Amino acid sequence: MSDEPYEHQVLNPATEEVIATVPAASAEDVDAAVVRAARAQQQWAALAPADRARLLRRFAVAVDEHLEELAQLEVAEAGHTVGNARWEAGNVRDLLDYAAGGVERLTGRQIPVPGGLDITILEPLGVVGVIAPWNFPMPIAAWGMAPALAAGNAVILKPAETTPLTALRLAGLAVAAGLPEDLFQVLPGAGAVAGAALVEHPGVAKIVFTGSTRVGKQIMAKCADQVKRLTLELGGKSANIVFADADIEAAAAASPMSFLDNSGQDCCARTRILVQRSVYDRFLELLAPGIESVVVGDPADEKTQMGPLISKVQLERVRAYVDGDMAGIRGSAPDGPGFWFPPTVLTGLAPHAPVAAEEVFGPVAVVLPFEDEADAVRLANATRYGLSGSIWTRDVGRALRVSGAVAAGNLSVNSHSSVRYWTPFGGYKQSGLGRELGPDALAAFTETKNVFISTEGPAL
């Protein structure tokens, strides 16, 4: 593909109207950005920790002051409901505040050794490349950006082609808050051009990528050539396990938004609903009204619960998985312009059917029966993914046993929670590599240097 820069049109997925035209970065643009970032990083790392923390808090305040503006940009470019978009902007603010609190606590250790003193020092990596997805453009960008900056690094963010607007605005707010020029840069562009150049650049010390497992594998292979640090957050096909002893009414009521939030475009979506056979029929009876009543429409409307898919390409991908003759429960979606697909729950399918085994990334779930605890665990683990999942039961012992047996990085009992910025997040198997968020997030953007000082040699 040519390295020549081009312009990319940003569409509103609810109307298909062009809302912006954004210049796209070339490989040469990436190279120049890395040079600028390396200079800014040296200035940033030389600041006193308290000063870096203070500037990050100012950045958080700037985001908070522009929260509604950022939310409306997210509604327009990503089709997120306005309530979700406000939460996402607030999450960026909270991540910056949380990361700022870690700047002065990023400490090494003193390790007992014979004949001297041994200490460890955590040093910033340098320039970090963050490649963010289109499904949660603001918060996932901040998952990498906030702790990387707090640890003393510079960040170059490559947003998804379809959702560059909030990223560009955040970069402007960073400069307005007083962060050094070029410390946090945003380079919109094609993954095959700007993204590839960022991954392959020898001046980039680490890549943080969130996206498909297929692309994640390609990035991992490219990073291997330079032994480049890498964090991957990839796909998911998460199980929602409902045992017969659970509060069936509560489990059924919570299930719709566990896979319909963000129109199902969520790696943590509980798209495999596993229900113990003895309560299977009752669960479906309770689930149907919840699916059929979901309000799908204008994402700017406060009453809307689900908006459109991100693009025509994604809409066609989801349609390809769902045969109109498949049994199940279906909600409704608008006609006319926009990339709409109705809430859909499919039944009567084999666990290995493509829609039951592959990541659809749309508002589609399957319900599968299981016999007992061992069968539930077997079905839950019968996937190459291992990102998240839910377990519904009143039995504490069962909750602990199944939590230990399900191969997933993020599980919740009697709820569908997956992501909190103060707890670690990441996947097993082909759902990713490494962990983001939580108290160890800053350390993931540092090198550990060990220093031994002899007390038995010549005087210093």
Side-chain angles (χ1 to χ4, degrees):
M1 184 177 289
S2 171
D3 283 348
E4 290 300 315
Y6 66 96
E7 291 188 331
H8 177 74
Q9 290 184 332
V10 180
L11 301 183
N12 182 327
T15 65
E16 302 183 48
E17 297 173 343
V18 177
I19 57 173
T21 301
V22 178
S26 66
E28 289 79 9
D29 294 327
V30 172
D31 186 60
V34 172
V35 172
R36 295 193 303 269
R39 249 188 335 254
Q41 189 271 329
Q42 291 179 355
Q43 176 189 353
W44 179 244
L47 288 177
D51 292 332
R52 289 208 309 272
R54 191 173 298 111
L55 287 169
L56 287 174
R57 290 190 181 97
R58 287 182 188 170
F59 188 6
V61 169
V63 171
D64 191 54
E65 290 173 347
H66 294 82
L67 191 145
E68 187 64 23
E69 176 193 352
L70 289 164
Q72 293 301 331
L73 278 177
E74 196 84 318
V75 170
E77 71 173 348
H80 291 187
T81 62
V82 67
N84 279 11
R86 288 175 182 141
W87 176 88
E88 290 166 43
N91 190 247
V92 175
R93 172 202 61 211
D94 294 343
L95 274 162
L96 286 165
D97 266 332
Y98 184 75
V103 174
E104 295 172 281
R105 296 170 178 82
L106 192 61
T107 57
R109 295 180 296 169
Q110 184 269 311
I111 302 172
V113 295
L117 177 71
D118 195 277
I119 60 171
T120 63
I121 302 168
L122 300 182
E123 297 182 342
L125 296 171
V127 178
V128 172
V130 177
I131 303 176
W134 47 258
N135 62 324
F136 291 103
M138 276 194 289
I140 293 182
W143 291 7
M145 171 265 288
L149 291 175
N153 301 280
V155 173
I156 298 175
L157 168 63
K158 208 295 285 183
E161 290 177 74
T162 49
T163 54
L165 302 183
T166 50
L168 289 166
R169 188 67 184 109
L170 285 171
L173 292 174
V175 174
L179 272 69
E181 195 84 30
D182 300 323
L183 182 71
F184 172 41
Q185 300 176 64
V186 173
L187 295 182
V193 179
L198 198 60
V199 169
E200 295 167 5
H201 199 291
V204 175
K206 179 173 180 174
I207 293 292
V208 179
F209 172 77
T210 299
S212 72
T213 298
R214 176 183 61 82
V215 176
K217 290 177 180 179
Q218 295 171 359
I219 290 174
M220 192 173 184
K222 290 180 178 179
C223 286
D225 187 54
Q226 297 178 36
V227 197
K228 184 171 293 188
R229 281 38 172 182
L230 179 66
T231 296
L232 297 173
E233 197 273 282
L234 307 175
K237 193 67 177 176
S238 300
N240 175 13
I241 308 170
V242 182
F243 287 97
D245 66 355
D247 182 334
I248 303 301
E249 287 76 12
S255 288
M257 296 316 295
S258 77
F259 74 94
L260 296 177
D261 189 49
N262 201 28
S263 305
Q265 300 167 133
D266 182 353
C267 299
C268 294
R270 273 62 164 179
T271 53
R272 292 185 301 143
I273 307 173
L274 313 181
V275 183
Q276 197 154 15
R277 193 176 296 277
S278 61
V279 294
Y280 181 86
D281 291 337
R282 175 59 177 156
F283 180 86
L284 288 179
E285 289 175 4
L286 294 167
L287 180 65
I291 298 296
E292 294 164 353
S293 65
V294 171
V295 179
V296 183
D298 179 4
D301 189 325
E302 301 277 355
K303 297 187 292 295
T304 296
Q305 294 173 280
M306 190 182 106
L309 295 171
I310 187 66
S311 65
K312 184 178 180 181
V313 169
Q314 190 61 21
L315 176 60
E316 290 174 349
R317 171 182 164 82
V318 174
R319 282 175 174 164
Y321 277 102
V322 181
D323 186 326
D325 294 331
M326 291 176 174
I329 307 163
R330 289 172 172 81
S332 60
D335 296 319
F339 309 119
W340 306 98
F341 195 88
T344 301
V345 174
L346 302 173
T347 58
L349 296 172
H352 59 268
V355 71
E358 299 173 13
E359 185 176 40
V360 178
F361 226 57
V364 179
V366 298
V367 185
L368 303 170
F370 68 84
E371 302 301 332
D372 54 21
E373 189 175 307
D375 193 33
V377 170
R378 180 187 63 80
L379 282 172
N381 288 338
T383 170
R384 62 181 174 142
Y385 299 114
L387 189 56
S388 62
S390 297
I391 301 159
W392 291 80
T393 178
R394 287 189 172 99
D395 185 330
V396 175
R398 168 173 283 158
L400 293 172
R401 285 194 305 272
V402 176
S403 294
V406 172
N410 310 272
L411 295 169
S412 57
V413 177
N414 296 331
S415 74
H416 294 301
S417 174
S418 289
V419 183
R420 294 180 176 89
Y421 62 82
W422 56 90
T423 59
F425 178 79
Y428 283 33
K429 300 188 281 187
Q430 293 190 34
S431 282
L433 182 69
R435 292 293 181 270
E436 298 180 282
L437 306 176
D440 300 325
L442 272 66
F445 293 95
T446 64
E447 291 279 23
T448 299
K449 177 175 286 183
N450 194 78
V451 178
F452 171 74
I453 304 169
S454 173
T455 57
E456 298 178 352
L460 295 178

